Amino acid sequence: MSSRKSKSNNLIHAECLSQVQRILRERFCHQSSHSNLFGVQVQYKHLIELLKRTAIHGESNSVLIIGPRGSGKTMELMQIEEVNENVLQVHLNGLLQINDKIALKEITRQLNLENVVDDKVFGSFAENLSFLLEALKKGNRSSSCPVIFILDEFDLFAHHKNQTLLYTLFDISQAAQTPVAVIGLTCRLDILELLEKRVKSRFSHRQIHLMNSFGFPQYLKIFKEQLSLPAEFPDKLFAEKWNENIQCLSEDRSIREVLQKHFNVSKNLRSLHMLLMLALNRVTSSHPFMTAADLMEASQLCSMDSKANIVHGLSVLEICLIIAMKHLNDIYEEEPFNFQMVYNEFQKFVQRKAHSIYNFEKPVVMKAFEHLQQLELIKPMERTSLNAQKEYQLMKLLLDNTQIMNALQKYPNCPTDVRQWATSSLSWL
Amino acid sequence: MASYTTRLKTRQTYSWVGRPLLDRKLHYQTYNEMCVKIEGCSTQIHIQVGQFVLIAGDCEQYPYVAKLIELFEDDSEPYSKKRARVQWCVRFCEVPVRKQHLLGRKPAAQEIFWYDYPACDGNINAEAIIGPVRVVALAPDEAIPVDLKNEKTLFMKLSWNEKKFRPLSPELLANLDKLRESSPRCQKPVGTKTRSIESLPWTTAEQVVRSIESRHSASKSCQTPTHSVTPRARKRLELNSLGLPRTPDSSTSRQNACASLGSPGRTKRKVAFSEVTSPCKRPQPDELQTSSPALKSPCTKDNKKCSPECHMTLRTRVPVLKATEITEHKTLSPISGGRKSLVVSDVVLKPENIKKRKVEEPEAQNEATSTPHRVNRKSSTLALNRIRQQLQFLGNNKNEQEEEEFLPAAEISDSSREEEEVSTPPFSRAHSSVPRSRCSSMKSSFQTPSKTPKKTPKRRTPCQVTPQIRSRSLAAQEPASALEEARLRLHVSAVPESLPCREREFQDIYNFVESKLLDRTGGCMYISGVPGTGKTATVHEVTRCLQQAAQANDVPPFQYVEVNGMKLTEPHQVYVQILQKLTGQKATANHAAQLLAKRFCTRGSPQETTVLLVDELDLLWTQKQDVMYNLFDWPTHKEARLVVLTIANTMDLPERIMMNRVASRLGLTRMSFQPYTHSQLQQILMSRLKHVKVFEDDAIQLVARKVAALSGDARRCLDICRRATEICELSPQKPDSPGLVTVAHLMEAVDEMFSSSYITAIKNSSVLEQGFLRAILAEFRRTGLEEATFQQVYSQHVVLCRMEGLPYPTMSETMVCSRLGSCRLLLVEPSRNDLLLRVRLNVSQDDVLYALKEE
């Protein structure tokens, strides 16, 4: 009886959990427009007022939203539904519209101008440009529908030839034509220096900075909000329990430490999402509530050194080669080395220790060396000619001393003499 | 109206005398003499080329005077195949009132002036010629005889070129004297002429003295030069006017309507003009109808709507034969009204023309070979005249025979129409005068809208449907508060009534362009100045003023074309743009260049001056500099009449990037716009904010000084003020404050726009990022270089962390480096270099230290 009850309990839990996972993963992965804005209320108000004036009064504007990656630039723009019904929106992305020609076609497409020209096959770049200019010139403040141009990765548009598109857009925003609002999104702080002087003069110099300017208490609040279940969750009982657990977690000291560490590394909300996602994946029906251990594990995963992980998987011979390179680096002060030098260094170690187990043929060592190169732990120097013999091609090590030592500490079954050799090149003396 | 009927009663038959001369180059047949037969009085007036003639105008007392240069037959004209080319003379009353004082004396009663204005179209309907007149040319020292034996003799002493009166040139004088004395044949017509003129009613009849004003307006519009009017254009316009007597009412109402429309766009104005004319004229005849709404509201829709109604009623009233004419009229009316229907009506019109020609004028078949294409060539016509005079005697007899054969047919059709006229209500009489389309109506009606047919092809092609953004669903709100009003005025797009602080530059450019327009030459001007100093705005203002002046006839009309180097995809596209804006043609860049070169470089194509504004000139630079070369080379051609205004930012652009041959053609007419000083900026702001008190005076001064110190860019100034009004609006108001924009608001706006954001960015970065920046500073200090590899910085970072007892970060975490790089706080190499990538600071070390120390 009791076992059956627990089984049905488990079933309910499994159902709830799958729903929890779905809701939370959606929240972490998609930029939902419903999440609250943190620390950007002032900027948001500035933007929304601006767009309202464009939509309602037909005033042309231009503005740049500047902030580091993951600071919520796009998210802020997704919240401008208030003015949606009265405007046309054109979304461009500098990574997609890599030149003005493509951008113009995209604008024309999004403005539905093709309908006006019924069957016209889109011709040359020049025709498109004059076509669009004509279209925008036609309008005036009071009668035409305002157009909002949203240029994501704005800095990439500044690299287009002559900045024709930017000049055109900003010129329209400064002329008595169709009302437009040009919104640029970028993470570059020096964006104004990229603009050509005439383009710059036409830009209104409005900048909205999004700087992640919140402190740790707010970060903790965000953490709580991101994990709590909404009120409309079907299983109220479970939701209550889950939220209670989250509340407990946020007050836990170890969790706070984890979060503090994470916060110190990056204030980016995306990295928090990543952390929470990893923790969420550990939640199963047998382990229905998130614990501090889950988060700590996730945090460790997040902060892991990827190169050290690679080193853990290397063979002893490859480790030996890396150690030889480290010694060479120490001796010659970061000068590049070639295979022959590494081999000689390795031979010295082998001969001194006289361990026949490490006594490999030269081609075998060469193979190991090449494997290291494929793993990009060593990198050939750029200037060396390619027709140089493989043995004499100059290389550089892409591992830091501390990294090597840390990796060796954790390396499973590392021979003692190799470890000793690593600490000092003279240990065999 | 009364004099009109009498004139129509005396039918005149026009026929050629002498054998036609086929001008191979011009493809039409020219004649040397014309015979006018007046019905009822059996006299014949012979009019010869070279004589002075009277031409029916809208004022019967003072018909126009002109010298006949050429008589020819033009098949492309539907009604008046007999054409004449004349050199106009003007009476004193035809000189614009404002310019009459230029004469400096009281004009003699019989004085006329040689109209030295080549742009004026001399191509008229030969049937508008009333008869010859005696004109005596006087040398500058001769006095005008006061005691007039013969009232009909006119005297010419000066020439009038729309600008000033000049004495007749000696060659012209000699030419005229010779003409007067040489041919004895000439005397005879003069003698008959006096008789014939006296027999005509308008000289004897008591005339209602028309007000000077109406005459003035008419003469003014007459003098508006028209050129390169294609035959088809004239035809359409002729029909438009329909030969209705132009009462002062209609003309003034038309002008009023035009003025009220007052749109600056040239094309628009023209279209509007023709829209207005037709409704004004058409409803007049059928007084029974209540189609007067068209008259009151001259808009396209009304016009279209009422036209079918008119059509219906008219048909029922008039006889069948009449109907063809009226239907034609009706089909034409949409031409003037709606531009979209142009294509359709054009198609309808053509077959009717052909049919009509076949029915009425069978002789047209003989001369069907002549093409409507015609070019004005004075030199050739002069030479031809001489040859023609000699040949005339030879072919006289034969030709007259031929003509007698044809004449009856023409007369029959004429008279039959006449009979109907009498039977029909008065309005049809007006219509019936269409085929003979008097010069006055033709001249006065087609002069101004002459552009319409030329421009309309642009709209005709279906592929060039003008694109448009859809109109808004909610109406735009008008500014409600003073702040909103001020914001609207402060927007850069708001066009001020005048441009303060650029009066001198405005005057210079205006004078330059005006002088070129008046002299009918071309030229280049180079305008430089940093962005936002009002270069383009000033040039726009100049063209606006000049267009107004052209409308008022102070300067010859001109075409204005504007291209912007920044809005071109490629320098050679400039040809395409110019060609399209000039003629509406579409062509590839190479072809357009050829067409333009042909247009500007070949001689003898009479055309109005083109004013070309080339904005952002430096973008037109090419390796071979052929685009710039062409732009500056065209104006140097004599016939080009091209004024090129170029705008760029740098003062020394011609020296820096242009080849010698290009710079040389650009010439030395240069102008540079200095950045605005603070007082000028203040003045600009004040002028925009006139009558709206939203700024404290100190605030305006502050922003003017700030901007003047930074760049002198007026756009910046306006933007800052606009932003300040927003800040003011959002900031909590104290109840007792007047709600003005204060210095504090402006300072906030200025800071927002100009303060560097690097320091805030560093302050808001994460602890790790700040530590990394610190490590960079330490590494720089250690090596004494401004550059370090990532590995060096990392090891420094680890050391620093150890010193502060922090857990040091792993290598992967330290890739914050790329994050800082994407913000451009650091300048980094592409990250594939991994440990070896070089790192530099993009901010000064002091700034970083300052930002890091704050906490």
Side-chain angles (χ1 to χ4, degrees):
Chain A
M1 185 72 193
S2 69
S3 73
R4 201 191 298 165
K5 198 180 172 187
S6 72
K7 227 178 205 175
S8 70
N9 246 351
N10 270 352
L11 269 180
I12 293 168
H13 272 219
E15 218 169 90
C16 289
L17 280 174
S18 68
Q19 258 179 332
V20 167
Q21 299 240 353
R22 191 178 51 77
I23 291 172
L24 294 185
R25 276 181 188 152
E26 236 167 53
R27 200 180 280 173
F28 299 150
C29 293
H30 298 289
Q31 293 174 322
S32 61
S33 56
H34 299 291
S35 56
N36 295 320
L37 294 160
F38 301 101
V40 291
Q41 280 82 6
V42 181
Q43 289 91 332
Y44 178 68
K45 200 174 174 195
H46 183 177
L47 181 72
I48 205 76
E49 285 292 324
L50 193 89
L51 292 176
K52 266 188 195 162
R53 274 200 306 279
T54 304
I56 294 167
H57 296 288
E59 185 186 291
S60 291
N61 277 312
S62 50
V63 66
L64 278 179
I65 303 176
I66 304 171
R69 300 209 179 276
S71 57
K73 302 184 287 294
T74 314
M75 209 162 74
E76 190 178 276
L77 270 179
M78 285 166 80
Q79 310 240 325
I80 53 169
E81 282 160 349
E82 291 177 55
V83 290
N84 251 351
E85 77 281 356
N86 202 21
V87 294
L88 294 166
Q89 284 192 23
V90 177
H91 291 265
L92 300 176
N93 192 316
L95 292 168
L96 297 176
Q97 280 78 41
I98 51 166
N99 59 33
D100 284 350
K101 189 178 175 179
I102 301 172
L104 279 177
K105 283 197 176 172
E106 184 65 16
I107 292 173
T108 330
R109 194 187 66 75
Q110 292 193 16
L111 283 178
N112 262 338
L113 286 182
E114 282 142 321
N115 299 348
V116 185
V117 269
D118 36 50
D119 287 309
K120 193 182 174 199
V121 181
F122 264 81
S124 67
F125 180 24
E127 275 171 9
N128 280 340
L129 181 63
S130 56
F131 184 80
L132 182 71
L133 287 176
E134 186 79 12
L136 292 168
K137 209 179 276 177
K138 268 283 184 182
N140 61 18
R141 187 183 75 82
S142 48
S143 67
S144 334
C145 185
V147 186
I148 297 182
F149 289 93
I150 297 167
L151 309 180
D152 216 336
E153 309 291 343
F154 183 82
D155 45 319
L156 297 177
F157 285 99
H159 292 128
H160 293 183
K161 190 188 160 222
N162 287 349
Q163 302 189 350
T164 305
L165 181 75
L166 295 185
Y167 180 90
T168 311
L169 289 180
F170 284 142
D171 201 43
I172 294 163
S173 83
Q174 302 249 308
Q177 299 176 359
T178 305
V180 295
V182 184
I183 303 173
L185 307 179
T186 182
C187 60
R188 286 186 67 162
L189 294 167
D190 62 344
I191 183 68
L192 283 184
E193 291 157 39
L194 292 181
L195 297 179
E196 210 248 5
K197 59 181 182 301
R198 287 165 282 202
V199 181
K200 194 177 170 184
S201 169
R202 279 164 177 78
F203 168 57
S204 72
H205 278 62
R206 284 162 194 270
Q207 302 165 50
I208 299 176
H209 287 281
L210 299 179
M211 287 296 184
N212 287 332
S213 53
F214 46 79
F216 183 66
Q218 265 175 308
Y219 192 75
L220 208 60
K221 222 169 104 191
I222 295 167
F223 162 79
K224 228 172 7 181
E225 266 178 48
Q226 291 290 316
L227 274 183
S228 12
L229 289 175
E232 57 267 23
F233 192 75
D235 193 339
K236 298 274 182 235
L237 203 71
F238 182 82
E240 218 169 87
K241 263 187 179 169
W242 174 275
N243 287 348
E244 225 168 79
N245 179 46
I246 298 299
Q247 180 64 32
C248 288
L249 280 181
S250 68
E251 281 156 16
D252 187 6
R253 247 190 88 221
S254 60
I255 295 264
R256 282 189 176 220
E257 256 170 40
V258 169
L259 287 177
Q260 178 77 56
K261 189 169 168 250
H262 210 76
F263 178 73
N264 283 348
V265 170
S266 162
K267 285 170 142 186
N268 197 331
L269 286 189
R270 273 189 207 152
S271 74
L272 176 68
H273 284 155
M274 180 59 81
L275 178 80
L276 297 181
M277 179 79 101
L278 289 172
L280 184 69
N281 288 348
R282 298 180 68 87
V283 172
T284 57
S285 55
S286 57
H287 176 74
F289 295 106
M290 212 182 269
T291 57
D294 294 339
L295 271 168
M296 267 142 85
E297 193 99 358
S299 160
Q300 226 160 24
L301 272 175
C302 278
S303 62
M304 198 165 324
D305 188 353
S306 52
K307 269 189 193 156
N309 282 349
I310 296 176
V311 174
H312 292 166
L314 292 178
S315 67
V316 177
L317 172 60
E318 283 156 352
I319 288 279
C320 287
L321 288 180
I322 284 177
I323 292 167
M325 290 170 199
K326 172 181 171 275
H327 291 321
L328 284 173
N329 268 350
D330 289 343
I331 297 162
Y332 298 107
E333 289 180 334
E334 309 285 322
E335 282 300 307
F337 50 83
N338 59 27
F339 171 69
Q340 199 57 49
M341 290 160 77
V342 177
Y343 185 68
N344 289 343
E345 192 70 25
F346 178 58
Q347 283 298 317
K348 268 190 232 166
F349 164 65
V350 172
Q351 280 160 14
R352 182 59 63 177
K353 283 293 169 186
H355 273 303
S356 54
I357 32 161
Y358 301 125
N359 201 358
F360 297 105
E361 296 288 312
K362 196 174 176 188
V364 177
V365 180
M366 184 68 194
K367 192 78 188 165
F369 189 79
E370 273 172 0
H371 186 227
L372 287 179
Q373 191 181 341
Q374 278 163 7
L375 289 171
E376 292 198 328
L377 293 175
I378 54 174
K379 184 170 173 266
M381 294 287 290
E382 276 161 10
R383 280 182 296 268
T384 50
S385 57
L386 289 169
N387 48 16
Q389 267 185 311
K390 261 191 277 178
E391 289 89 340
Y392 303 103
Q393 209 166 20
L394 290 177
M395 295 284 182
K396 276 217 145 190
L397 182 64
L398 293 184
L399 283 168
D400 196 53
N401 277 354
T402 47
Q403 266 179 312
I404 296 168
M405 298 316 288
N406 284 345
L408 271 181
Q409 302 267 307
K410 287 175 193 165
Y411 187 77
N413 306 323
C414 185
T416 337
D417 43 0
V418 172
R419 196 167 287 170
Q420 275 173 355
W421 180 46
T423 46
S424 161
S425 59
L426 304 173
S427 64
W428 39 266
L429 282 177
Chain B
M1 208 68 182
S3 67
Y4 212 63
T5 14
T6 50
R7 164 156 160 64
L8 285 172
K9 269 174 191 162
T10 61
R11 278 273 142 236
Q12 293 168 35
T13 317
Y14 294 82
S15 55
W16 297 128
V17 178
R19 200 168 50 183
L21 296 167
L22 182 68
D23 190 337
R24 284 185 196 282
K25 269 186 200 158
L26 307 176
H27 300 294
Y28 51 75
Q29 287 164 313
T30 55
Y31 294 84
N32 220 355
E33 196 172 351
M34 189 172 70
C35 172
V36 185
K37 209 164 124 188
I38 297 170
E39 254 179 32
C41 56
S42 75
T43 44
Q44 284 196 356
I45 309 168
H46 285 265
I47 301 165
Q48 259 184 314
V49 168
Q51 276 182 334
F52 281 86
V53 289
L54 291 174
I55 292 161
D58 39 349
C59 173
E60 277 81 2
Q61 202 177 358
Y62 294 109
Y64 294 121
V65 183
K67 187 184 167 206
L68 200 56
I69 295 172
E70 196 180 5
L71 288 164
F72 60 92
E73 183 116 11
D74 192 348
D75 277 342
S76 62
E77 300 290 336
Y79 294 112
S80 56
K81 284 154 56 101
K82 298 187 174 64
R83 310 293 304 176
R85 183 162 300 122
V86 295
Q87 159 66 50
W88 292 103
C89 298
V90 291
R91 291 168 190 273
F92 186 69
C93 55
E94 290 170 54
V95 175
V97 175
R98 268 173 308 139
K99 305 230 172 165
Q100 284 182 353
H101 65 91
L102 291 171
L103 183 59
R105 60 178 164 87
K106 238 180 104 69
Q110 301 293 325
E111 192 174 6
I112 57 168
F113 305 96
W114 185 260
Y115 192 44
D116 183 16
Y117 196 66
C120 187
D121 190 22
N123 187 343
I124 60 157
N125 182 355
E127 296 176 12
I129 295 172
I130 298 164
V133 69
R134 191 175 132 84
V135 173
V136 181
L138 298 171
D141 47 345
E142 283 176 66
I144 298 168
V146 188
D147 49 334
L148 296 166
K149 304 163 290 281
N150 187 353
E151 248 187 32
K152 298 304 156 219
T153 312
L154 299 171
F155 297 96
M156 186 158 61
K157 197 174 168 183
L158 299 169
S159 72
W160 165 243
N161 65 352
E162 282 299 346
K163 265 194 293 184
K164 52 180 158 189
F165 293 93
R166 283 206 193 103
L168 293 176
S169 65
E171 313 91 84
L172 184 64
L173 202 62
N175 201 2
L176 290 173
D177 274 342
K178 193 175 72 199
L179 200 129
R180 186 164 41 136
E181 286 148 21
S182 65
S183 77
R185 271 189 70 125
C186 202
Q187 297 295 345
K188 197 180 80 190
V190 171
T192 52
K193 164 221 84 189
T194 35
R195 220 165 3 106
S196 71
I197 284 173
E198 262 150 20
S199 73
L200 293 174
W202 61 84
T203 42
T204 50
E206 289 291 314
Q207 283 297 313
V208 184
V209 180
R210 307 223 165 164
S211 65
I212 293 286
E213 190 190 306
S214 74
R215 199 188 304 147
H216 171 60
S217 69
S219 70
K220 211 165 117 181
S221 54
C222 279
Q223 282 161 14
T224 318
T226 57
H227 358 239
S228 62
V229 182
T230 57
R232 190 196 278 168
R234 195 181 304 114
K235 168 181 72 197
R236 191 177 295 140
L237 290 156
E238 239 170 55
L239 290 169
N240 248 350
S241 67
L242 275 173
L244 261 178
R246 277 194 56 198
T247 56
D249 285 8
S250 76
S251 75
T252 46
S253 73
R254 200 173 75 174
Q255 278 184 345
N256 285 346
C258 179
S260 69
L261 279 164
S263 61
R266 208 171 164 73
T267 335
K268 266 189 210 159
R269 193 181 66 233
K270 298 282 150 87
V271 173
F273 212 114
S274 57
E275 273 174 20
V276 177
T277 43
S278 61
C280 280
K281 298 217 157 162
R282 228 168 10 78
Q284 239 179 347
D286 34 20
E287 284 132 1
L288 296 171
Q289 275 201 342
T290 51
S291 62
S292 49
L295 206 143
K296 277 168 196 156
S297 58
C299 80
T300 330
K301 275 177 202 158
D302 273 343
N303 193 1
K304 271 186 194 160
K305 236 192 312 186
C306 74
S307 67
E309 291 165 16
C310 296
H311 189 172
M312 291 296 285
T313 43
L314 283 169
R315 256 209 187 151
T316 54
R317 231 193 290 164
V318 295
V320 191
L321 212 144
K322 207 70 215 150
T324 56
E325 200 178 306
I326 289 162
T327 44
E328 191 175 327
H329 168 210
K330 285 303 146 202
T331 48
L332 273 169
S333 62
I335 289 185
S336 54
R339 30 183 140 107
K340 275 180 193 157
S341 59
L342 258 175
V343 191
V344 188
S345 52
D346 212 27
V347 174
V348 174
L349 176 67
K350 266 192 180 158
E352 270 195 20
N353 272 338
I354 294 160
K355 199 171 68 193
K356 214 173 162 182
R357 201 185 293 160
K358 274 182 187 162
V359 173
E360 282 192 312
E361 297 161 307
E363 76 260 41
Q365 284 162 357
N366 298 351
E367 289 134 9
T369 47
S370 63
T371 60
H373 181 72
R374 183 196 318 134
V375 190
N376 271 333
R377 293 197 182 193
K378 276 187 185 156
S379 55
S380 62
T381 46
L382 275 174
L384 270 173
N385 275 347
R386 251 174 255 136
I387 303 165
R388 220 173 293 133
Q389 270 171 0
Q390 297 195 346
L391 285 174
Q392 191 194 358
F393 296 101
L394 299 170
N396 227 355
N397 302 333
K398 197 178 148 200
N399 226 5
E400 265 170 8
Q401 246 181 350
E402 273 175 22
E403 245 162 13
E404 270 167 13
E405 280 175 23
F406 290 130
L407 269 173
E411 266 178 338
I412 285 165
S413 69
D414 249 4
S415 56
S416 69
R417 203 180 294 145
E418 185 117 13
E419 278 162 24
E420 270 169 30
E421 257 167 54
V422 178
S423 63
T424 45
F427 79 91
S428 61
R429 189 182 302 138
H431 283 293
S432 74
S433 65
V434 174
R436 67 185 52 223
S437 112
R438 297 168 319 114
C439 161
S440 68
S441 65
M442 184 186 86
K443 257 173 85 187
S444 58
S445 62
F446 79 63
Q447 73 301 68
T448 358
S450 68
K451 272 286 145 35
T452 343
K454 215 174 170 184
K455 294 252 161 129
T456 36
K458 237 188 228 171
R459 305 215 162 99
R460 241 184 255 173
T461 45
C463 66
Q464 285 193 342
V465 181
T466 37
Q468 202 164 4
I469 306 288
R470 76 169 166 86
S471 56
R472 54 190 303 147
S473 43
L474 293 168
Q477 272 181 23
E478 287 309 310
S481 68
L483 275 174
E484 282 174 12
E485 171 74 29
R487 211 176 295 143
L488 196 67
R489 290 195 195 189
L490 284 171
H491 200 281
V492 185
S493 69
V495 182
E497 305 91 66
S498 67
L499 285 172
C501 313
R502 287 290 179 230
E503 289 85 4
R504 200 178 53 80
E505 285 85 356
F506 172 84
Q507 205 54 48
D508 285 356
I509 300 173
Y510 187 90
N511 288 347
F512 175 80
V513 180
E514 192 194 30
S515 69
K516 297 291 177 198
L517 284 178
L518 292 175
D519 299 345
R520 293 165 196 297
T521 53
C524 296
M525 186 175 202
Y526 177 73
I527 301 165
S528 65
V530 294
T533 47
K535 302 179 294 297
T536 313
T538 307
V539 175
H540 281 168
E541 187 73 9
V542 166
T543 45
R544 203 165 59 86
C545 287
L546 279 170
Q547 267 161 352
Q548 277 173 0
Q551 233 175 325
N553 247 339
D554 293 338
V555 295
F558 62 95
Q559 257 186 306
Y560 172 63
V561 177
E562 184 182 346
V563 285
N564 189 324
M566 269 293 216
K567 291 180 182 170
L568 299 174
T569 52
E570 192 264 324
H572 290 96
Q573 285 292 328
V574 77
Y575 299 128
V576 180
Q577 294 264 319
I578 295 174
L579 187 74
Q580 183 164 15
K581 282 170 182 163
L582 269 180
T583 64
Q585 275 175 284
K586 268 191 160 184
T588 60
N590 283 335
H591 189 216
Q594 283 168 8
L595 287 177
L596 285 173
K598 203 168 132 197
R599 185 189 167 96
F600 290 125
C601 302
T602 47
R603 335 182 90 256
S605 47
Q607 48 185 298
E608 56 192 27
T609 311
T610 309
V611 177
L612 174 64
L613 169 63
V614 184
D615 215 340
E616 318 292 4
L617 177 72
D618 49 332
L619 268 297
L620 296 183
W621 188 88
T622 51
Q623 190 64 47
K624 283 167 70 187
Q625 307 200 351
D626 48 343
V627 176
M628 284 185 182
Y629 180 87
N630 276 338
L631 281 180
F632 302 140
D633 191 43
W634 291 332
T636 60
H637 288 268
K638 202 180 158 211
E639 299 293 323
R641 288 211 211 141
L642 177 67
V643 183
V644 179
L645 302 172
T646 57
I647 299 182
N649 289 128
T650 42
M651 204 154 77
D652 57 345
L653 187 82
E655 285 77 29
R656 266 195 312 122
I657 69 166
M658 289 186 198
M659 291 177 193
N660 284 338
R661 60 164 181 262
V662 178
S664 145
R665 275 169 177 79
L666 173 59
L668 293 170
T669 319
R670 302 216 186 143
M671 166 171 293
S672 84
F673 279 62
Q674 298 303 320
Y676 288 112
T677 63
H678 69 87
S679 56
Q680 286 174 325
L681 286 173
Q682 202 173 342
Q683 204 182 329
I684 290 169
L685 286 177
M686 294 297 231
S687 79
R688 288 218 179 202
L689 290 172
K690 226 180 278 168
H691 313 305
V692 186
K693 177 71 183 161
V694 285
F695 279 85
E696 285 179 356
D697 292 340
D698 287 351
I700 289 184
Q701 190 166 357
L702 172 92
V703 68
R705 280 182 187 277
K706 278 262 178 199
V707 174
L710 274 167
S711 60
D713 188 335
R715 291 196 187 106
R716 260 325 51 70
C717 202
L718 295 171
D719 282 334
I720 291 172
C721 288
R722 211 148 56 86
R723 176 72 188 127
T725 59
E726 287 164 21
I727 293 171
C728 174
E729 201 170 46
L730 290 179
S731 66
Q733 296 280 331
K734 288 182 201 95
D736 54 333
S737 73
L740 292 182
V741 180
T742 59
V743 174
H745 294 135
L746 268 168
M747 281 308 290
E748 198 182 327
V750 170
D751 283 347
E752 219 173 72
M753 285 187 181
F754 295 111
S755 70
S756 157
S757 48
Y758 287 112
I759 291 173
T760 18
I762 294 173
K763 273 185 204 167
N764 284 318
S765 54
S766 70
V767 178
L768 187 69
E769 285 160 348
Q770 289 179 347
F772 193 77
L773 284 172
R774 244 183 228 120
I776 290 173
L777 286 185
E779 183 63 25
F780 285 176
R781 207 172 301 133
R782 188 180 71 83
T783 57
L785 293 172
E786 291 281 291
E787 192 179 271
T789 65
F790 178 73
Q791 195 172 13
Q792 290 169 326
V793 179
Y794 177 70
S795 45
Q796 196 77 34
H797 194 178
V798 171
V799 170
L800 279 176
C801 284
R802 276 194 186 134
M803 263 161 55
E804 288 176 31
L806 292 169
Y808 57 85
T810 57
M811 191 68 91
S812 291
E813 278 176 334
T814 335
M815 278 305 169
V816 287
C817 178
S818 65
R819 248 185 351 238
L820 293 174
S822 74
C823 294
R824 286 302 187 278
L825 281 169
L826 300 181
L827 296 175
V828 293
E829 281 184 326
S831 54
R832 68 189 154 82
N833 284 350
D834 206 52
L835 279 188
L836 308 173
L837 63 83
R838 280 170 296 192
V839 178
R840 258 191 288 174
L841 273 180
N842 197 25
V843 207
S844 79
Q845 296 194 16
D846 295 337
D847 280 359
V848 179
L849 272 179
Y850 171 77
L852 292 175
K853 255 177 203 159
E854 258 329 75
E855 344 174 359

